[in-house]
């Protein structure tokens, strides 16, 4: 039996000490990415590195070296961990001239097979295009949705415009193309990979304003994040159709993405 992956935290290539974590505990400012690692490889590595570099330029005024990021992940995995979930957080302590990189290694995860249920909430993430550490709102509404018997929260604007879920992107199928919400949201790695691979298979994507009132008009809804893809069969009290053929298409498209060596 493969031993369980230990929880491991490293900052800048060394053990994460209380002193090293103090800034993150007191200051909620930084950005991150989350990836699944199998055999020391991950999907969409270049997209993760581009995300980190762009966010670092916006938040801290300088780029982030991709090779340094890879080195920090490899060091945290060590020689003993092949498969894991990686959460990589970038922040800048008060007394530092440059950013620090926190790598959190946890056991591998994945998306539930679904179908999943979503509860609508009136909330949108601030600075939604960045995957940042300010996650209280989405965590609060996500937990509240679970307590109410749903799998996740569906974030909406006051006029009912849908953006994303608390932990994933949401997409829709209108019979001809994949529709992604045209709203403030994080363009997740899985979303970007699906756009690319589905287009190669003849299924285009487009952006459109989608409101809660529009949900009944779609042939299917689905969610995607670093754990994978799953269909959605209920939003609040509305039952949504699930197309097994499209679920297979989405799953095969995502699973066709090669794993990049970190």
């Amino acid at each position: 039996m493969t031993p369980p992956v230990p929880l491991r935290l490293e900052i800048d290539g060394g053990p994460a000490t209380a002193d090293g974590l103090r800034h993150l505990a007191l200051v909620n400012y930084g950005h991150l990415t989350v990836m699944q690692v199998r055999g020391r490889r991950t999907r969409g590595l270049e997209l993760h590195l581009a995300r980190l570099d762009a966010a670092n330029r916006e938040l801290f005024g300088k780029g982030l070296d991709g090779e340094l990021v890879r080195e920090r992940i490899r060091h945290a995995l060590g020689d003993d961990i092949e498969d894991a979930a990686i959460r990589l957080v970038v922040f800048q302590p008060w007394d530092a001239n440059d950013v620090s990189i926190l790598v959190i290694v946890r056991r591998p995860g994945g998306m539930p097979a679904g179908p999943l249920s979503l509860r609508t909430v009136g909330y949108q993430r601030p600075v939604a295009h960045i995957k940042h550490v300010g996650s209280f709102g989405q965590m609060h509404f996500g937990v509240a949705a679970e307590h109410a018997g749903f799998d996740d929260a569906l974030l909406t604007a006051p006029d009912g415009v849908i953006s994303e879920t608390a932990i994933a992107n949401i997409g829709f199928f209108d019979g001809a193309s994949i529709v992604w919400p045209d709203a403030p949201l994080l363009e997740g790695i899985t979303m970007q990979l699906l756009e690319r691979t589905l287009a190669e298979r003849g299924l285009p994507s487009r952006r459109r304003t989608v409101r809660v009132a529009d949900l009944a008009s779609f042939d299917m809804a689905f969610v995607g994040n670093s754990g994978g893809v799953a269909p959605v069969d209920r939003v609040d009290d509305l039952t949504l159709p699930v197309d097994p053929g499209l679920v297979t298409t989405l799953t095969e498209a995502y699973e066709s993405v090669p794993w990049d060596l970190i």
Side-chain angles (χ1 to χ4, degrees):
M1 179 180 295
T2 303
V5 173
L7 177 66
R8 183 176 296 166
L9 290 82
E10 290 191 354
I11 296 178
D12 297 333
T17 63
D19 187 61
L21 291 168
R22 182 176 290 111
H23 181 86
L24 272 178
L26 297 174
V27 180
N28 198 30
Y29 195 77
H31 62 95
L32 67 133
T33 199
V34 176
M35 62 182 72
Q36 293 294 324
V37 174
R38 302 293 184 272
R40 304 177 72 85
R41 296 173 180 266
T42 192
R43 289 188 173 106
L45 178 61
E46 81 283 0
L47 297 177
H48 284 285
L49 298 180
R51 162 192 281 176
L52 293 168
D53 181 69
N56 213 69
R57 291 178 187 277
E58 185 165 343
L59 298 186
F60 301 116
K62 61 183 72 176
L64 188 62
D65 180 39
E67 184 52 43
L68 176 62
V69 170
R70 296 174 65 192
E71 179 184 321
R72 294 293 186 245
I73 296 172
R74 291 193 297 262
H75 190 277
L77 289 170
D79 297 327
D80 57 327
I81 299 177
E82 294 284 320
D83 303 338
I86 295 291
R87 183 180 181 91
L88 187 146
V89 183
V90 183
F91 64 101
Q92 185 164 347
W94 291 299
D95 56 352
N97 294 321
D98 205 351
V99 297
S100 286
I101 298 175
L102 165 67
V103 181
I104 304 171
V105 181
R106 297 179 294 187
R107 60 183 177 82
M111 178 74 75
L116 306 181
S117 59
L118 305 176
R119 182 192 196 190
T120 59
V121 298
Y123 178 76
Q124 290 187 303
R125 294 191 309 112
V127 199
H129 65 285
I130 294 180
K131 191 173 182 68
H132 54 73
V133 298
S135 57
F136 173 82
Q138 68 205 76
M139 290 181 65
H140 169 72
F141 288 116
V143 170
E146 291 180 7
H147 288 169
F150 295 84
D151 294 296
D152 196 8
L154 182 60
L155 312 184
T156 67
D159 58 357
V161 171
I162 292 170
S163 55
E164 54 197 346
T165 83
I167 60 171
N169 285 114
I170 186 167
F172 308 92
F173 182 60
D174 65 2
S177 61
I178 298 297
V179 176
W180 301 102
D182 185 5
L185 53 79
L186 175 73
E187 294 195 2
I189 305 301
T190 296
M191 173 182 170
Q192 296 179 61
L193 293 173
L194 281 175
E195 279 194 293
R196 181 190 302 172
T197 55
L198 290 172
E200 293 169 351
R201 294 165 180 248
L203 184 56
S205 294
R206 63 190 180 93
R207 302 291 196 279
R208 195 192 105 184
T209 300
V210 179
R211 291 179 167 82
V212 175
D214 301 326
L215 289 175
S217 67
F218 289 104
D219 293 351
M220 199 179 85
F222 63 94
V223 294
N225 62 17
S226 64
V229 184
V232 174
D233 70 348
R234 181 166 64 100
V235 175
D236 295 337
D237 295 327
L238 176 66
T239 299
L240 302 177
V242 174
D243 181 341
L246 182 58
V247 173
T248 299
T249 297
L250 293 169
T251 302
E252 290 180 348
Y254 181 65
E255 292 181 349
S256 73
V257 176
W259 293 81
D260 304 315
L261 184 64
I262 294 173

